[in-house]
């Protein structure tokens, strides 16, 4: 046999073997035509599948994961909620109740579509999305109360006070959105189309100011809920709910956070309706007014929520000594960024970046509450020095530990330092990943820029209070005025009246505007 024919011989032999195996395994199909296709063994396909690399998470997913880690109150001592439970080991997976998205054109008579333009159809879809979102929100809020709040109260899993802290003013939001849904359905025509919604939104949106108390309570509610999850009864109950079809694989906090996410979505929904509304439509002006109303409400609630979050963390700071207290912390109203980082020795630290000060703490438990003990002296942002470190530039603490460390443990470091004599300090901090590191760098840089701009503004405002004296020296404006008034009093030996004050002011203006001219003497 020729050498070049050898591969062909092997392929024919393999095909014949495959036909023989097929004939033996299925004798009932002898009348069928034999197949000449090669059959791959299952083991080979399985082995090839195992060699495929895992799919990397998208940047958006990494951002949501980083954000979840940064705002999470989870402690390492708490067991994983997704770990199997004794009562759920032999339990078949439950069918998840999914919520299908609905379209206006699919819900109502399609024959109406040929009477409307493409832009009008998009407008009706946007209005229907607003209405359908209200129905979904009301359903979720009622579900949170019926499936979580009431059973835990009845079974004494949590006290009424704890449930009131976690759920806040959730009950008061249900009738609020039921009112909007009722109004939207009242103006809907029998064919499903809606002509005007702007006047309804202008009259209803101011009611959203009641979200103030609910959103401001979310930080404390999240902290208490995470603390209560350490109780095995609470944990088991929430796990049962999570595995039930009604939850749609959402935990309790997802339901409690739905009102906040709905609130920030209103401007987007209204802009979408406005985008597909003709310029000569009656809704044009009302929709623009409604957008201004909701933007003002969201901005105000956002400010109050940030102040509430800042106050919450300031109250849970533990100072080891009075020298650690700083007025910059007490005067802070916003937490720009906070989260868990590690130093070069592997110690977990919780870092708070306030408006004008960076605070390095350790998470501790005090009176069954998660608190934050100051690790070092607070660092003013104005004097803080930031340095982005390259991967591998930092050496981990300890010679043995650094010698056996892998490359993953010396990545994503940055350095903050303070050079102030005896109070100098330097910290090399490690983030969980490169994205989290970049977020920290951006926040610190933005905070430094704001402090620098605020300092320049203070200097300019202070310079505005100074005047030039006749000899060219800088004299505070108030002192110059008082000196001239005293001089006038000495010359006249009597009290000044209104005309004398005006004459004195004119002399000041002339002195400041004409430095090289001869000073005009005025007899008072």
């Amino acid at each position: 046999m020729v050498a070049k024919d050898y591969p062909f011989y092997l392929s024919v032999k393999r095909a014949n073997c495959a036909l023989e195996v097929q004939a033996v395994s299925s004798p009932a199909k002898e009348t069928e035509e034999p197949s000449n296709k090669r059959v791959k063994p299952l083991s080979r396909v399985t082995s090839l599948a195992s060699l495929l690399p895992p799919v990397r998470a998208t940047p958006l997913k990494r951002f949501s994961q980083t954000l979840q880690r940064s705002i999470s109150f989870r402690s390492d001592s708490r067991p994983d909620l997704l770990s199997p439970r004794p009562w759920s080991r032999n339990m078949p997976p439950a069918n998840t109740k999914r919520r299908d998205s609905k379209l206006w054109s699919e819900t109502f008579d399609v024959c109406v579509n040929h009477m409307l333009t493409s832009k009008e159809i998009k407008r009706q879809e946007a209005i229907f999305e607003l209405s359908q979102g209200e129905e979904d929100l009301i359903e979720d809020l009622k579900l949170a109360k019926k499936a979580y709040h009431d059973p835990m109260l009845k079974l004494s899993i949590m006290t009424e006070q704890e449930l009131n802290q976690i759920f806040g003013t959730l009950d008061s939001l249900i009738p609020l959105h039921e009112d909007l849904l009722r109004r939207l359905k009242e103006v809907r025509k029998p064919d499903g189309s809606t002509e005007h919604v702007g006047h309804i939104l202008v009259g209803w949106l101011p009611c959203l100011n009641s979200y103030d108390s609910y959103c401001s309570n979310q930080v404390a509610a999240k902290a208490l809920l995470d603390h209560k999850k350490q109780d095995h009864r609470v944990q088991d109950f929430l796990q049962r709910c999570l595995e039930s079809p009604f939850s749609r694989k959402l935990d309790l906090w997802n339901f409690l956070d739905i009102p906040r996410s709905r609130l920030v979505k209103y401007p987007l929904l209204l802009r979408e309706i406005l985008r597909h509304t003709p310029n000569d439509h009656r809704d044009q002006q009302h929709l623009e007014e409604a957008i201004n109303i909701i933007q003002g409400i969201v901005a105000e609630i956002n400010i109050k929520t940030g102040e509430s979050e800042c106050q919450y963390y300031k109250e849970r700071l533990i100072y080891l000594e009075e020298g650690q207290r700083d007025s910059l912390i007490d005067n802070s109203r916003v937490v720009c960024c906070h989260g868990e980082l590690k130093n070069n020795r592997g110690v977990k630290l919780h870092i708070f970046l306030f408006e004008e000060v960076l605070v390095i703490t350790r998470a501790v438990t005090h009176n069954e509450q998660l608190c934050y003990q100051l690790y070092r002296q607070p660092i003013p942002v104005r004097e803080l020095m930031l340095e982005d470190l390259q991967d591998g530039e930092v050496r981990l603490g300890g010679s043995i530990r650094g010698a056996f460390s892998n490359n993953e443990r010396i990545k994503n470091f940055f350095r903050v330092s303070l050079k102030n004599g005896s109070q100098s300090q330097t910290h090399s901090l490690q983030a969980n990943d490169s994205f989290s590191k970049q977020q920290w760098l951006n926040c610190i840089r933005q905070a430094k820029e704001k402090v620098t701009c605020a300092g320049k503004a203070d200097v300019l405002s202070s310079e505005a209070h100074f005047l030039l004296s006749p000899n060219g020296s800088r004299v505070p404006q108030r002192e110059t005025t008082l000196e001239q008034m005293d001089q006038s009093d000495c010359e006249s030996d009597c009290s000044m009246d209104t005309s004398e004050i005006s004459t004195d002011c004119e002399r000041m203006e002339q002195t400041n505007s004409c430095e090289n001219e001869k000073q005009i003497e005025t007899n008072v």
Side-chain angles (χ1 to χ4, degrees):
M1 180 177 295
V2 184
K4 65 179 180 179
D5 297 333
Y6 185 72
F8 176 77
Y9 171 77
L10 287 180
S11 62
V12 174
K13 186 175 181 180
R14 289 174 183 171
N16 293 335
C17 293
L19 291 175
E20 292 176 2
V21 173
Q22 184 178 2
V24 173
S25 59
S26 56
K29 298 183 179 180
E30 293 179 357
T31 58
E32 298 179 359
E33 295 182 3
S35 175
N36 57 356
K37 294 182 180 180
R38 295 174 58 185
V39 180
K40 293 184 179 181
L42 183 61
S43 60
R44 176 173 296 182
V45 177
T46 307
S47 62
L48 290 176
S50 63
L51 296 177
L52 295 176
V55 181
R56 290 188 177 184
T58 61
L60 182 60
K61 186 175 181 180
R62 290 199 305 270
F63 173 76
S64 63
Q65 293 172 351
T66 305
L67 182 61
Q68 181 66 23
R69 289 194 297 268
S70 65
I71 65 175
S72 177
F73 297 85
R74 293 176 295 180
S75 60
D76 296 336
S77 61
R78 196 181 73 217
D80 189 4
L81 290 179
L82 298 180
S83 59
R85 300 281 172 263
W87 43 264
S88 62
R89 287 176 181 172
N90 300 326
M91 200 173 190
N95 294 326
T96 305
K97 181 181 177 182
R98 297 185 180 274
R99 176 177 288 165
D100 299 330
S101 59
K102 298 179 181 180
L103 297 176
W104 174 80
S105 57
E106 297 176 354
T107 305
F108 297 97
D109 189 5
V110 186
C111 298
V112 183
N113 294 346
H114 73 277
M115 302 172 58
L116 303 175
T117 62
S118 175
K119 188 172 184 178
E120 181 60 27
I121 292 177
K122 292 180 179 179
R123 182 174 185 272
Q124 295 299 325
E125 293 286 1
I127 296 175
F128 182 75
E129 183 181 358
L130 173 65
S131 176
Q132 188 62 36
E134 294 300 307
E135 288 189 12
D136 296 341
L137 175 63
I138 295 170
E139 179 183 349
D140 289 335
L141 296 183
K142 290 182 177 179
L143 178 64
K145 177 175 174 54
K146 181 179 179 181
Y148 291 94
H149 179 278
D150 296 346
M152 285 193 289
L153 180 61
K154 186 176 181 180
L155 298 175
S156 300
I157 297 178
M158 289 192 195
T159 64
E160 184 176 1
Q161 182 180 1
E162 291 172 339
L163 291 173
N164 291 338
Q165 177 69 41
I166 292 175
F167 284 81
T169 58
L170 186 72
D171 288 343
S172 64
L173 304 180
I174 298 177
L176 183 69
H177 293 277
E178 287 178 338
D179 179 40
L180 176 60
L181 182 61
R182 177 185 57 80
R183 297 187 189 187
L184 293 176
K185 288 184 176 180
E186 286 178 354
V187 297
R188 182 181 294 169
K189 296 180 180 179
D191 59 4
S193 62
T194 302
E195 186 68 21
H196 305 288
V197 294
H199 64 288
I200 296 176
L201 297 171
V202 170
W204 178 82
L205 284 174
C207 300
L208 292 179
N209 285 307
S210 59
Y211 266 74
D212 182 7
S213 58
Y214 182 81
C215 294
S216 299
N217 179 63
Q218 280 196 305
V219 178
K222 183 70 165 62
L224 179 58
L225 177 60
D226 286 337
H227 175 70
K228 294 301 295 183
K229 284 180 181 179
Q230 299 179 13
D231 186 349
H232 68 92
R233 294 187 64 201
V234 177
Q235 184 179 349
D236 289 344
F237 175 83
L238 296 179
Q239 183 65 24
R240 287 174 183 267
C241 294
L242 185 63
E243 296 178 357
S244 300
F246 70 83
S247 69
R248 308 193 308 275
K249 298 299 182 182
L250 301 177
D251 60 9
L252 174 57
W253 182 249
N254 292 133
F255 285 100
L256 296 177
D257 194 49
I258 286 177
R260 182 203 58 81
S261 60
R262 179 66 179 178
L263 177 66
V264 298
K265 193 176 180 181
Y266 279 119
L268 303 177
L269 294 172
L270 299 189
R271 288 196 193 98
E272 186 66 16
I273 299 175
L274 179 61
R275 191 163 68 93
H276 301 294
T277 300
N279 295 331
D280 57 348
H281 199 282
R282 286 174 51 190
D283 259 2
Q284 182 79 17
Q285 183 177 358
H286 287 152
L287 288 174
E288 292 176 354
E289 183 180 357
I291 292 175
N292 293 332
I293 293 174
I294 187 59
Q295 286 179 340
I297 293 175
V298 172
E300 184 67 21
I301 293 178
N302 189 35
I303 293 175
K304 293 183 179 179
T305 303
E307 293 176 354
S308 175
E309 178 189 19
C310 182
Q311 185 64 29
Y312 173 85
Y313 287 120
K314 288 195 299 184
E315 292 175 353
R316 279 154 182 79
L317 293 178
I318 299 178
Y319 300 92
L320 296 178
E321 54 186 17
E322 287 297 322
Q324 292 180 334
R325 296 186 178 273
D326 197 323
S327 60
L328 295 177
I329 301 177
D330 299 333
N331 298 332
S332 298
R333 300 178 59 187
V334 178
V335 180
C336 301
C337 185
H338 75 94
E340 186 180 272
L341 299 173
K342 294 181 181 179
N343 62 7
N344 59 336
R345 296 183 178 273
V347 179
K348 293 182 179 180
L349 304 172
H350 200 98
I351 315 299
F352 292 94
L353 176 61
F354 294 96
E355 294 170 290
E356 298 185 15
V357 63
L358 182 75
V359 183
I360 303 177
T361 68
R362 283 180 176 177
V364 296
T365 303
H366 181 69
N367 294 333
E368 297 185 354
Q369 287 186 347
L370 182 62
C371 298
Y372 304 93
Q373 185 179 24
L374 264 69
Y375 180 71
R376 288 292 186 271
Q377 196 75 14
I379 302 177
V381 173
R382 188 186 301 274
E383 304 174 14
L384 182 145
M385 300 177 63
L386 178 64
E387 183 180 0
D388 184 6
L389 302 178
Q390 300 296 326
D391 293 342
E393 187 174 346
V394 176
R395 182 179 180 181
L396 299 182
S399 58
I400 299 179
R401 184 178 180 183
F404 291 96
S405 62
N406 53 26
N407 293 331
E408 292 297 329
R409 301 186 61 184
I410 54 177
K411 291 183 178 181
N412 307 317
F413 270 93
F414 64 94
R415 181 176 295 147
V416 293
S417 57
L418 171 66
K419 305 298 183 182
N420 189 10
S422 60
Q423 296 183 355
S424 299
Q425 51 181 309
T426 302
H427 305 277
S428 298
L429 304 175
Q430 183 183 27
N432 294 327
D433 49 42
S434 59
F435 183 78
S436 177
K437 170 189 173 181
Q438 192 62 42
Q439 291 295 310
W440 274 102
L441 293 176
N442 293 339
C443 288
I444 296 176
R445 287 167 181 163
Q446 291 174 4
K448 287 183 67 65
E449 290 177 1
K450 290 182 179 179
V451 171
T452 303
C453 294
K456 292 181 179 179
D458 294 339
V459 172
L460 293 176
S461 62
S462 62
E463 289 180 350
H465 292 282
F466 283 89
L467 294 173
L468 290 176
S469 64
N471 58 4
S473 60
R474 291 163 55 92
V475 182
Q477 182 178 358
R478 185 172 180 179
E479 293 180 4
T480 305
T481 306
L482 293 177
E483 289 176 0
Q484 294 176 354
M485 291 175 64
D486 293 339
Q487 182 180 359
S488 300
D489 289 338
C490 294
E491 293 175 359
S492 61
D493 292 331
C494 62
S495 60
M496 300 182 73
D497 56 11
T498 307
S499 61
E500 293 172 346
I501 296 178
S502 61
T503 305
D504 192 38
C505 293
E506 291 177 359
R507 185 178 60 186
M508 290 171 55
E509 293 176 357
Q510 295 172 358
T511 302
N512 296 331
S513 59
C514 305
E515 296 179 7
N516 298 326
E517 296 180 2
K518 183 179 180 180
Q519 184 177 0
I520 300 175
E521 297 181 358
T522 305
N523 294 326
V524 180

